[in-house]
Amino acid sequence: MKAILQKWNEISLVKRILVGLVVGILLALIVPQASGIALLGTLFVSALKAVAPVLVLLLVMAAIANHQKGRQTNMKSILVLYGISTFLAGASAVTACFLFPVSLSLAGTTEGLTPPGGIIEVLKGLLLNVVDNPVSALMNANYIGILAWAILLGLALKGAGDQTKSLLTHASDAVSQIVKWVIQFAPFGILGLVYESITVSGLESLLDYGKLLMVLVGCMLFIALIVNPLIVYINIRRNPYPLVFTCLKESGITAFFTRSSAANIPVNMRLSEKLGLNKDTYSVSIPLGATINMAGAAVTISVLTLAAVHTLGIEVDFGTAVILSVLSAISAAGASGVAGGSLLLIPLACSLFGISNDIAMQVVGVGFIIGVVQDSCETALNSSSDVLFTATAEYAKQRKEAALPLANTASLD
């Protein structure tokens, strides 16, 4: 048995996840009544969600407390990359909807859902999350609040003794080790998640929404494979696809099945460490990205909003389309990092066109119907690009530093 486990652990995690994926599909088709298999997925996601808030708090706090003057963290560059990618995602989705207009059959109900009343309410919610009670923030996985407290405590502890800082570092390392143990169970978790998705939702229910899904998934693939690589290339000036595919393979696959940017934070932390990135940077940029880097959410908001617009026969001029691109990018940053978090922001965008809340909430209902595919692709794009842009900022900095002596030499000549 020990030899079998050793051989299993020698296989790369991605290959083991693919094995879990295939086995999950086969089990769903052969024994759809074995509901206990889905428990594997629930346990895996729950374990990630349980450890992620503590990991973020300790990592960010330790990174800031131990940060020394003169060491750059690239956070400004990363924030700019997050913003550019999210805006371009919204703009690309708006363009795609003009090229391939989609109409909806609106009849569903979404009782019990309360969307934000406007962009002010979204921003207000973000500000209230910042000043949340730290215990409450940890219990409810409020990552904005966790980040705020981690930053404040880290700053307050910068003047602490070496023993205190060492204790923080050891604590964050211990939680990081627990994360590594949890991630080793990813193949079994993915098996359970795939099994549950197929047996509960089925694939037949998605056929009526094929065109809408094609536009949504097509936009997200365009962002992941064209727009994001272009942004990376402009910054690092070399072939971006090895880095892009690494992030999609090692972060995107897991995020696709967990359907939660927050739950995928430990996976991204591990990948950032594997890529050799600056811990001072990624310990802040990864949890922050899980909150505000929402290109996939911008696509979802734009596409479903314009689907409602086309269904109702509303004319959209160029200026309004630009405003929608900006609005979808800003509101996407307010989407929660959990499954379906972007859908409740659709009524906000619909209000730009005077669409009533009743109709907008029916569009939200459509979003939940196709969520088994839409939300999975959205989260894979969101979460994988957190690592992508963190790495891009660091590699761009290294490129500039490497070119600096050459520039100085050239000027001397």
Side-chain angles (χ1 to χ4, degrees), residues 342-353:
S342 62
L343 295 177
L344 290 181
L345 293 166
I346 291 171
L348 171 61
C350 283
S351 65
L352 181 64
F353 301 93

Side-chain angles (χ1 to χ4, degrees), residues 175-363:
V175 178
S176 297
Q177 182 59 52
I178 294 173
V179 169
K180 292 177 182 178
W181 293 338
V182 172
I183 290 174
Q184 290 304 311
F185 290 94
F188 305 101
I190 298 296
L191 185 156
L193 290 167
V194 172
Y195 179 89
E196 184 177 23
S197 292
I198 294 177
T199 55
V200 174
S201 300
L203 300 178
E204 298 82 0
S205 60
L206 304 177
L207 295 178
D208 293 338
Y209 299 95
K211 187 176 180 181
L212 177 61
L213 273 173
M214 286 178 65
V215 174
L216 278 166
V217 176
C219 286
M220 293 179 193
L221 287 173
F222 180 75
I223 300 300
L225 301 177
I226 304 297
V227 175
N228 283 354
L230 182 60
I231 295 173
V232 174
Y233 174 76
I234 291 172
N235 282 273
I236 68 175
R237 302 298 172 85
R238 65 173 187 261
N239 182 5
Y241 285 100
L243 177 60
V244 169
F245 289 139
T246 296
C247 293
L248 288 173
K249 180 177 70 173
E250 302 204 18
S251 172
I253 290 176
T254 308
F256 183 91
F257 293 106
T258 60
R259 295 173 61 193
S260 170
S261 295
N264 212 48
I265 288 174
V267 177
N268 283 346
M269 292 285 195
R270 179 178 177 274
L271 176 56
S272 297
E273 181 183 6
K274 182 178 178 180
L275 291 172
L277 303 181
N278 183 352
K279 192 173 183 179
D280 286 348
T281 300
Y282 74 72
S283 60
V284 178
S285 68
I286 296 301
L288 184 62
T291 305
I292 67 170
N293 183 33
M294 296 287 179
V299 169
T300 297
I301 294 166
S302 297
V303 170
L304 285 172
T305 298
L306 287 177
V309 167
H310 290 136
T311 300
L312 299 173
I314 300 172
E315 293 292 330
V316 182
D317 57 28
F318 177 77
T320 307
V322 172
I323 293 173
L324 176 60
S325 301
V326 176
L327 180 63
S328 64
I330 295 174
S331 56
S336 60
V338 299
S342 62
L343 295 177
L344 290 181
L345 293 166
I346 291 171
L348 171 61
C350 283
S351 65
L352 181 64
F353 301 93
I355 297 174
S356 70
N357 193 58
D358 290 340
I359 294 176
M361 290 305 290
Q362 289 185 45
V363 179

